[in-house]
Amino acid sequence: MTYVNYFQDMEQRYKTENPYHNSTHAADVLSSFLFFINQSVLLELFSEYDMLAVIIAALGHDVGHPGLTNRFLIVNKDDLANTYNDYSVLEMMHCSSTFYLMKGQDANILGYIDAEHYTSVRKLIVEMILATDMSKHWDLLAQFKAKALKPPQQFETVDQRIDILKMSIKAADVGHAAKSIDLHQK
């Protein structure tokens, strides 16, 4: 029931009046993300803990989104901008909310994980959610290209796997435009 409680709580934190950054978008991002992984060699690279982080990050990457941009919040000196010091304001809030939902004992889906794995899962979730900040898009893409073009490309290190997952969540997040119009409108 812990998983059910957590994900139901998360879904309720999405604002239904937000026409785009809502729970349907989160489910679409997860679906696209899992499609990328399952249709490639990536599945072989990731542990069960990595996949748990993928699910949590994809579903939580826009939780509580107010329907405004980071720039708008910063320019208008919104409380969120002040809280997160004008740095990836929404993405930091999404990360915080994603972990805050685990505070309750009945929703602590990472409560069974040992400290070492918890730290790596948390790091991966945070890295993936922060990677969805569009103001960092071109920098992240340039860094990825620079690393990916250098041999070897086995993606065996933790940092290489994190880079792949960050690019995958970005593609899943903005990839709706590449879908057929019928699927896109659903």
Side-chain angles (χ1 to χ4, degrees), residues 32-47 50-51 54 57 124 127-129 131-132 140-141 143-145 147-150 152-173:
S32 296
F33 203 154
L34 293 176
F35 178 81
F36 297 154
I37 291 171
N38 282 302
Q39 295 299 312
S40 68
V41 298
L42 296 178
L43 188 59
E44 300 166 14
L45 300 175
F46 302 130
S47 71
D50 295 334
M51 293 306 296
V54 162
L124 193 48
E127 292 271 357
M128 283 188 284
I129 293 175
T132 65
L140 190 62
L141 188 58
Q143 291 169 4
F144 180 76
K145 282 182 177 179
K147 291 178 185 178
L149 295 176
K150 291 181 186 174
Q153 298 163 350
Q154 279 88 10
F155 307 111
E156 294 171 353
T157 71
V158 171
D159 287 340
Q160 289 171 325
R161 289 197 315 275
I162 289 173
D163 288 342
I164 290 288
L165 289 171
K166 285 172 19 178
M167 292 309 294
S168 296
I169 197 169
K170 288 189 71 53
D173 190 26

Side-chain angles (χ1 to χ4, degrees), residues 45-106:
L45 300 175
F46 302 130
S47 71
E48 293 170 344
Y49 294 108
D50 295 334
M51 293 306 296
L52 177 60
V54 162
I55 293 166
I56 294 169
L59 292 176
H61 85 282
D62 275 335
V63 68
H65 200 297
L68 304 167
T69 65
N70 283 334
R71 191 85 218 123
F72 180 89
L73 296 171
I74 292 166
V75 167
N76 288 285
K77 299 175 180 73
D78 187 90
D79 287 344
L80 277 177
N82 290 329
T83 298
Y84 297 109
N85 300 308
D86 300 341
Y87 181 81
S88 297
V89 175
L90 291 169
E91 293 74 21
M92 295 287 259
M93 183 268 295
H94 303 318
C95 287
S96 179
S97 296
T98 296
F99 285 96
Y100 179 80
L101 289 170
M102 294 179 206
K103 288 297 231 185
Q105 190 62 29
D106 62 336

